[in-house]
Amino acid sequence: MPRALLMAVASVVVAAGCGGGGGSGNEGAGSTTPVRGGELVMAVNVEGQTMDPVWCATHAFDRCLPVFGTLLRFDTEDEEFVPAMASSFESEDGITWTLKLREGVQFSDGTPFDADAVVFNWDRVKDPANLSPSARIAAPLTWRVIDPLTVELVSAEPNFQLPWALAQGLGMIGSPTAIAQLGADFGNAPVGAGPFLLDAWTRNSEARFSANPDYWDEGAPYLDTFVLKVIGQDDQRLNALRTGEIDINWSLLSKDARTVEAEGFTVHALPLVGGTGLNLNFEDPDLKDPQLRLAVLKTFDSAQINSAVYPGDEPVDAFLFPDSEYRDDTLGTFPEKNLPEAQALLDEYLAKTGKSDLTLRLSTFAGLPALEQVAQLIQSQVQQLDGVRVEIESMDYATLQGVLRSGKFQMGIAATLSQHMDAIYDTFHSDGTNNITGYSNPKVDEALEVSRASKDPEVVAEAYKVINGEISNDAPLRNWRYQTGYIFTPGYVKGLVLTGTLSGAGVYLDRAWVDK
């Protein structure tokens, strides 16, 4: 991925439009002039817990985005931050930032979208009672209202990656009036200033949205209606696309991308940092032992997993893509498969702990056949060792997220996905927002802090090389494939803009339109 795509800039200024990113296949004939009206139906694989903006960035991005929009966007084609709900976000030193809001923007209940509203929402992120996954992003930040359209934000340390937070974890702003009125129920009936209004939400089925007639961006959205369906199985989503039940299909499968492109569908692709993998709990009474973790890792066979579940995908030998400019394999790669060495390590662990055998739990998704198959393969790989047994615990998405975030697991299947490198901070820094494994490495912490504090691209690149080497050596997350986020559509779907999320590729829909 280009360095510009992976590094934030010190200021965000007014720019025209956002790019679509990575389209291929049959774009479809017809008019190039946007047509107003119509409905688009999109399908994703899992349900979100809530549409409360304190949780939106990590657990319900695709649901929240139509209602709230974001303060900033990252344009994946021009590789720059562009304004969205905000008009600018600037800093000279990476410490003191000035956020400017657009004039005349209102929430759909008539509440002004102003500096007080932004500060109200950010205060909620910091409030421990709300359990926001973005709380640690906000922890080193302070803010104050300068005037109705200006917020000053101060970081305890220089952080030139901060614009990413306003495109994600701190970027979605809800109506203070509605939050005060609805309390805990706001997450079920959100009120924002984005391009759409939530009309109905049936959990594990679909959410229906209608165009916001008072959206600030005159003329947008073009659509009358947007529907977000939950279809857990990849093949069912693909068939729903083929039959016309849905118009937009979310996917992480490159084999399906090749298939639908050959069938004439449009494939939008966004390379991602990270991947879905085996997460090891470094704070578990057993797996806190480095010998046992290494024994497990030396049974891991990503080539077998990909051959069985993701045919055509290359096996993974380090955290980042092989051609990444942030890889230096002399600094570390994943432990190689070696069953005799793994057995010896396990035997040593059992001997020193006085155990005759060991049972490990593997927590994974229920209802997602591909990941259920992966879990079974990991189970069989580890159980090649004498003296260890793996029990698979399958659970729905919301339950699994709770188990992983609470640290009440030993091994778990989960994803670390983003369009930018700074998300690694949240996953692998000792104090990271999404550090579910309890991983702590002083070299990684120091390099991650350098990646935010420096404006020098070469310094940041060297820091990322250290990070990739160390987390590949330690493998708190052992991914089995390098992932790209995909969006599949028929040719009549126009104007989609891709964005990276923690679950894959997402889409901005305010300029999407239908050309049938």
Side-chain angles (χ1 to χ4, degrees), residues 50-55 68 117-135 138 143 170 172-176 179-180 183-187:
T50 175
M51 292 192 204
D52 190 317
V54 301
W55 280 83
F68 300 113
V118 170
V119 165
F120 177 88
N121 278 260
W122 288 355
D123 287 344
R124 293 187 71 241
V125 170
K126 273 194 174 183
D127 185 348
N130 291 321
L131 301 174
S132 173
S134 300
W143 41 70
L170 299 180
M172 297 190 187
I173 306 298
S175 165
I179 292 171
D185 197 45
F186 181 80

Side-chain angles (χ1 to χ4, degrees), residues 448-462:
L448 284 167
E449 288 155 12
V450 168
S451 74
R452 288 185 167 183
S454 177
K455 292 178 66 175
D456 185 335
E458 296 302 324
V459 171
V460 174
E462 290 304 312

Side-chain angles (χ1 to χ4, degrees), residues 29 58 68 143 164 166 168 191 220 271 290 322 469 471 485 495 504:
T58 53
F68 300 113
W143 41 70
W164 289 114
L166 272 65
Q168 297 177 343
V191 176
I471 62 177

Side-chain angles (χ1 to χ4, degrees), residues 262-276:
E263 294 175 4
F265 289 94
T266 300
V267 174
H268 302 271
L270 184 65
L272 299 169
V273 177
T276 305

Side-chain angles (χ1 to χ4, degrees), residues 192-399:
F196 292 91
L197 310 175
L198 177 65
D199 294 329
W201 184 13
T202 304
R203 292 294 204 284
N204 296 307
S205 177
E206 68 176 36
R208 299 189 67 88
F209 304 83
S210 60
N212 179 0
D214 300 316
Y215 186 49
W216 65 267
D217 192 1
E218 187 176 354
Y222 297 135
L223 297 172
D224 289 334
T225 313
F226 169 61
V227 180
L228 187 68
K229 289 180 175 286
V230 178
I231 304 176
Q233 298 191 24
D234 295 302
D235 58 345
Q236 290 183 4
R237 288 198 312 280
L238 209 57
N239 287 333
L241 180 70
R242 288 168 172 147
T243 61
E245 177 187 346
I246 65 174
D247 309 294
I248 306 171
N249 182 20
W250 173 99
S251 180
L252 290 170
L253 298 182
S254 53
K255 66 181 181 68
D256 285 352
R258 293 189 291 269
T259 298
V260 299
E261 186 172 10
E263 294 175 4
F265 289 94
T266 300
V267 174
H268 302 271
L270 184 65
L272 299 169
V273 177
T276 305
L278 176 67
N279 293 255
L280 302 179
N281 189 345
F282 278 52
E283 297 178 346
D284 175 76
D286 288 312
L287 287 170
K288 68 181 180 181
D289 187 285
Q291 274 188 299
L292 179 59
R293 292 199 305 271
L294 187 56
V296 170
L297 291 167
K298 282 184 171 290
T299 70
F300 197 91
D301 189 340
S302 66
Q304 181 193 39
I305 292 173
N306 290 347
S307 176
V309 187
Y310 307 101
D313 285 12
E314 295 298 321
V316 170
D317 59 356
F319 181 70
L320 294 177
F321 277 91
D323 58 353
S324 170
E325 63 180 308
Y326 302 117
R327 268 188 67 160
D328 179 349
D329 289 358
T330 65
L331 298 177
T333 56
F334 282 137
E336 294 183 0
K337 179 182 176 182
N338 190 315
L339 293 180
E341 289 184 6
Q343 187 68 60
L345 288 165
L346 175 64
D347 292 343
E348 289 179 25
Y349 174 75
L350 294 175
K352 74 181 181 182
T353 57
K355 298 180 179 181
S356 59
D357 55 34
L358 179 68
T359 298
L360 296 174
R361 303 185 316 278
L362 174 59
S363 302
T364 188
F365 296 86
L368 301 182
L371 292 182
E372 289 176 339
Q373 187 178 356
V374 169
Q376 292 166 3
L377 288 168
I378 293 174
Q379 179 189 49
S380 66
Q381 290 173 3
V382 178
Q383 289 184 163
Q384 292 176 90
L385 303 180
D386 293 331
V388 65
R389 186 165 66 95
V390 175
E391 294 180 348
I392 295 176
E393 299 178 328
S394 298
M395 56 197 78
D396 63 74
Y397 175 78
T399 303

